[in-house]
Amino acid sequence: MCGIAGYIGKQQAAPIILDGLSRLEYRGYDSAGVAVYDGERIHMEKAQGRLRVLEELTQHGATMPGFCGIGHTRWATHGSPSDTNAHPHMNESNSIAVVHNGIIENYAQLKQRLLNKGYHFASETDTEVLVHMLTEYYNGDPVEAIEKVMHRVEGSYALGIMFLDHPHHIYAARKDSPLIVGESSDGKFIASDVPAILQYTRTVYYMENEEIACLSTEHTRFFNVDGEPIQKTPVTIDWDIHAAEKGGFEHFMLKEIHEQPKAIKDTISPRIKDGDIDLSEIGMSDEELLSFHKITIVACGSAYHSGVTGRYVLEDLARIPTEADLASEFRYRNPIYDAGTLVIVVSQSGETADSLAALRDAKAHGCKVLAIVNVVGSSIAREADAVLYTWAGPEIAVATTKAYSCQIAAFYLLALKFARLRSTITPERFQTLLDALSCLPGQVESLLAQKEKIQFFANHYLATEHIFFIGRGIDYALCLEASLKLKEISYIHSEAYAAGELKHGTISLMENGTLVIAVATQDALYPKTVSNIVEVKTRGAFVMAVTTLQHPEMEKCADYVLYVPKTAAPFMDSLAIVPLQLFAYYVSLGRGLDVDKPRNLAKSVTVE
Ligand code: M6R
């Protein structure tokens, strides 16, 4: 989604803003722009395409003098990607400039009203209504004008605003789209996310919904939507700056795949204490956890896939009825809530619009919400009743790897906790599973050594057009994620199927040479999946199987086999996903694609 960066201080603003925008590139965008007060006017430059086009145009900001400015990377919603639709947007007198992340839902009515009043629109964006409304309401007091606009617009927004009348100030406002304010001795910042300002400051204010900020070199002031001053306390970000850099890897995705052993360990280890699972930090007592008789998991994309794994593992170990649903479906299907249902919302970013809306809906119906979230201080983390953080660290590649792995690890912790509380497994089995959990990081590490073998195989499938992933049980949950990983970064059409479902239709697509990736890590289901492999091979498919070292006989059945070590059956997804993440990575690399920033995608989907 769009990225916002702004700066006011002692340094030249444009290079700092461009640097901030470059660190938000992972969010996905199709055009970029910067506006800076140059001592006389608001000087604006915009360009469709990658940020480097704007950097070249402005000589990395050098051609834009001035100490106060705002910038934006746009992910098109209303109006195609173009120079004109790129942000910032300015009013006709060039006295107000606005950058916006989000969607103004009632923009059509607002636009018609403004057109009737004689305002002219230069772009096709929803954002431009904000510019003209600010112009209409501005009477010398920027906060008052912003307030009036906020009372009239519906939808989501993070805004950075400059007024020519107040050239040494940046104004910001937010509702349902992330925005932070940073402070250093050198200046003040606004940004969509922490990496944009991490090299300048670690002192950050998280803006809450319907808050306004006014930044000058001397002050950082905050107001509520009625223009009343409010006090906010900054937090100190403790991220390692190198966490948001590539650290010698060719891509963030490859780096993040390699960070999985540490990320899983950081997520699991602090919660295993004295032979038990200790979740006392999450904000829900054992009594409360015991009171739930049903779990509903809600999320989007890979986070949803982690929820599908979570459903299998929770039902298997804790015998608690669990459903997993896509947030975009859940929120509109009039779900049945009751007080005994725990709603678990899973999100890496903690800002996904549909997941956040589902959370609010669940809370409004009196349900308790537990969030499994990676970004501390994000909207979902702040609004949930309890939070189980995944300690994956900053994830920059659009295709999630380490955050997904931490999400499924978080579900293992929860399943074991519920199983213990509900006495659904014996103490001996609990101990065996706990030991298995502790061994996962080392086993994931060992899998990374298979890289060359996977790259070799991937290189043979660069030109393929369709790939099918099949598996049963948690292997099927894993196939959903492996298939998404492949398609999002390689642009190859792929589908994930429950292996037993193929013969109900999809098998008609099998022909000579069709690549089928079959996952068979569950001993209890192994013979069934082997039968499904035989079925597709009979119809000409080429099968790559992923199975455990205990099944060398798979080589008689599949054409190519990748082996993974064995762990307790419910935890196999943590191991089997690694070679398939690497497969997706190497296919994308071999096809010469932008691995970390695939087309059309955004890291943080803050619009519906
Ligand atoms: O930040 P979230 O975990 O809520 O994001 C959910 C999805 O948008 C995300 O998992 C998406 O599917 C990824 N690109 C998958 O790699």
Side-chain angles (χ1 to χ4, degrees):
M1 295 288 111
C2 309
I4 290 177
Y7 172 77
I8 174 159
K10 298 176 189 159
Q11 311 294 324
Q12 192 187 346
I16 292 176
I17 293 166
L18 287 169
D19 178 61
L21 293 178
S22 74
R23 290 169 197 276
L24 296 176
E25 279 194 294
Y26 67 90
R27 295 172 67 85
Y29 69 99
D30 42 55
S31 53
V34 177
V36 173
Y37 174 66
D38 67 5
E40 250 177 58
R41 57 172 186 147
I42 299 176
H43 173 186
M44 183 171 75
E45 297 288 355
K46 312 200 277 191
Q48 186 187 342
R50 289 296 185 201
L51 196 58
R52 66 172 174 273
V53 181
L54 184 66
E55 287 170 340
E56 277 163 25
L57 186 72
T58 63
Q59 294 175 19
H60 295 269
T63 61
M64 300 185 78
F67 302 95
C68 174
I70 51 179
H72 188 264
T73 44
R74 173 174 187 253
W75 189 84
T77 57
H78 296 64
S80 56
S82 68
D83 288 1
T84 312
N85 289 332
H87 299 208
H89 291 282
M90 289 233 257
N91 60 355
E92 288 170 72
S93 58
N94 294 334
S95 60
I96 298 176
V98 175
V99 292
H100 167 217
N101 172 20
I103 289 182
I104 304 303
E105 286 167 2
N106 58 340
Y107 92 100
Q109 300 96 289
L110 296 171
K111 183 170 179 174
Q112 193 51 55
R113 192 182 64 82
L114 290 159
L115 285 169
N116 294 344
K117 287 189 157 221
Y119 288 92
H120 295 111
F121 280 73
S123 76
E124 302 157 287
T125 65
D126 53 336
T127 304
E128 205 180 334
V129 298
L130 301 173
V131 182
H132 298 307
M133 286 171 79
L134 285 167
T135 308
E136 182 183 8
Y137 297 135
Y138 179 64
N139 267 327
D141 180 348
V143 172
E144 188 188 310
I146 295 169
E147 214 186 282
K148 285 187 174 156
V149 171
M150 288 169 78
H151 280 296
R152 285 161 180 80
V153 296
E154 289 162 19
S156 60
Y157 49 81
L159 302 174
I161 310 169
M162 292 173 68
F163 291 79
L164 188 59
D165 273 2
H166 299 264
H168 305 295
H169 295 79
I170 295 176
Y171 296 86
R174 99 155 252 194
K175 180 173 169 272
D176 292 341
S177 283
L179 197 64
I180 58 168
V181 170
E183 271 182 348
S184 78
S185 54
D186 241 17
K188 310 277 165 53
F189 307 80
I190 59 169
S192 298
D193 200 357
V194 173
I197 59 172
L198 200 55
Q199 67 159 324
Y200 305 104
T201 183
R202 287 167 183 275
T203 306
V204 162
Y205 297 89
Y206 284 95
M207 288 191 67
E208 301 284 346
N209 269 346
E210 307 205 314
E211 284 183 356
I212 302 168
C214 168
L215 283 60
S216 69
T217 39
E218 293 84 34
H219 308 287
T220 306
R221 295 194 169 114
F222 295 98
F223 305 88
N224 66 18
V225 73
D226 296 318
E228 294 157 351
I230 49 173
Q231 296 303 318
K232 287 180 74 72
T233 312
V235 295
T236 304
I237 303 293
D238 60 3
W239 289 5
D240 175 0
I241 179 117
H242 301 297
E245 288 169 359
K246 282 188 201 152
F249 285 91
E250 198 176 343
H251 294 100
F252 279 111
M253 182 177 176
L254 191 59
K255 176 181 176 240
E256 288 159 7
I257 288 172
H258 280 79
E259 285 172 344
Q260 291 183 111
K262 180 178 183 309
I264 296 170
K265 187 161 186 266
D266 289 350
T267 300
I268 292 171
S269 298
R271 277 96 182 219
I272 300 181
K273 283 185 197 147
D274 305 325
D276 204 351
I277 301 284
D278 179 357
L279 297 182
S280 47
E281 65 181 279
I282 69 172
M284 259 181 202
S285 66
D286 287 359
E287 291 68 38
E288 200 168 2
L289 288 175
L290 251 181
S291 71
F292 299 116
H293 58 74
K294 186 184 161 200
I295 293 177
T296 297
I297 302 165
V298 191
C300 302
S302 296
Y304 163 71
H305 298 155
S306 83
V308 178
T309 296
R311 181 185 71 196
Y312 281 108
V313 180
L314 277 157
E315 290 199 334
D316 179 22
L317 298 181
R319 308 303 302 147
I320 184 163
T322 304
E323 57 180 41
D325 206 349
L326 294 162
S328 53
E329 287 298 309
F330 178 81
R331 60 184 291 199
Y332 293 117
R333 76 168 158 84
N334 197 11
I336 299 167
Y337 293 107
D338 75 60
T341 302
L342 173 65
V343 175
I344 301 181
V345 177
V346 193
S347 176
Q348 187 286 127
S349 62
E351 300 294 347
T352 302
D354 284 318
S355 305
L356 186 57
L359 176 155
R360 289 178 180 159
D361 196 54
K363 283 188 74 172
H365 284 84
C367 282
K368 287 283 180 204
V369 176
L370 166 65
I372 296 178
V373 172
N374 195 44
V375 177
V376 177
S378 57
S379 301
I380 291 175
R382 280 179 290 131
E383 295 191 29
D385 298 294
V387 186
L388 176 52
Y389 279 109
T390 48
W391 295 117
E395 192 180 62
I396 307 296
V398 165
T400 181
T401 51
K402 61 176 180 170
Y404 164 81
S405 285
C406 290
Q407 286 162 355
I408 54 177
F411 276 115
Y412 303 158
L413 290 168
L414 274 177
L416 283 174
K417 181 74 188 173
F418 274 106
R420 179 77 143 178
L421 290 172
R422 295 162 61 89
S423 303
T424 48
I425 53 175
T426 61
E428 293 71 32
R429 177 133 197 254
F430 180 81
Q431 199 50 57
T432 308
L433 289 167
L434 216 53
D435 292 345
L437 205 54
S438 304
C439 292
L440 282 180
Q443 291 178 303
V444 171
E445 187 79 61
S446 73
L447 277 163
L448 297 170
Q450 288 197 33
K451 264 189 310 199
E452 277 81 21
K453 189 176 176 193
I454 296 163
Q455 184 167 20
F456 172 81
F457 182 76
N459 283 342
H460 284 79
Y461 279 90
L462 302 181
T464 205
E465 286 178 5
H466 309 283
I467 299 184
F468 294 88
F469 290 80
I470 60 169
R472 287 168 176 260
I474 61 163
D475 289 341
Y476 166 58
L478 171 84
C479 285
L480 293 170
E481 173 58 9
S483 169
L484 177 66
K485 212 76 332 187
L486 180 76
K487 70 186 127 196
E488 69 182 328
I489 60 170
S490 73
Y491 315 151
I492 292 174
H493 166 242
S494 81
E495 301 278 352
Y497 280 95
E501 180 64 16
L502 277 185
K503 59 178 85 61
H504 299 286
T506 312
I507 205 161
S508 66
L509 295 171
M510 296 298 145
E511 49 189 24
N512 269 348
T514 304
L515 178 59
V516 173
I517 298 182
V519 184
T521 71
Q522 303 292 296
D523 284 348
L525 298 167
Y526 182 83
K528 304 279 175 204
T529 308
V530 165
S531 302
N532 300 132
I533 293 174
V534 173
E535 284 162 11
V536 293
K537 274 200 66 63
T538 307
R539 279 132 188 114
F542 183 96
V543 176
M544 177 179 87
V546 178
T547 190
T548 57
L549 291 160
Q550 281 65 27
H551 289 292
E553 74 284 358
M554 179 62 95
E555 288 182 31
K556 294 197 195 111
C557 161
D559 299 285
Y560 196 82
V561 184
L562 286 176
Y563 293 104
V564 294
K566 201 169 166 80
T567 179
F571 305 156
M572 278 307 304
D573 280 1
S574 286
L575 304 182
I577 192 60
V578 179
L580 298 176
Q581 291 169 336
L582 286 165
F583 176 70
Y585 172 79
Y586 284 118
V587 171
S588 177
L589 186 73
R591 286 166 71 105
L593 301 172
D594 192 343
V595 176
D596 285 336
K597 299 187 287 285
R599 69 183 179 206
N600 303 337
L601 294 184
K603 181 74 180 164
S604 179
V605 184
T606 52
V607 294
E608 253 194 81

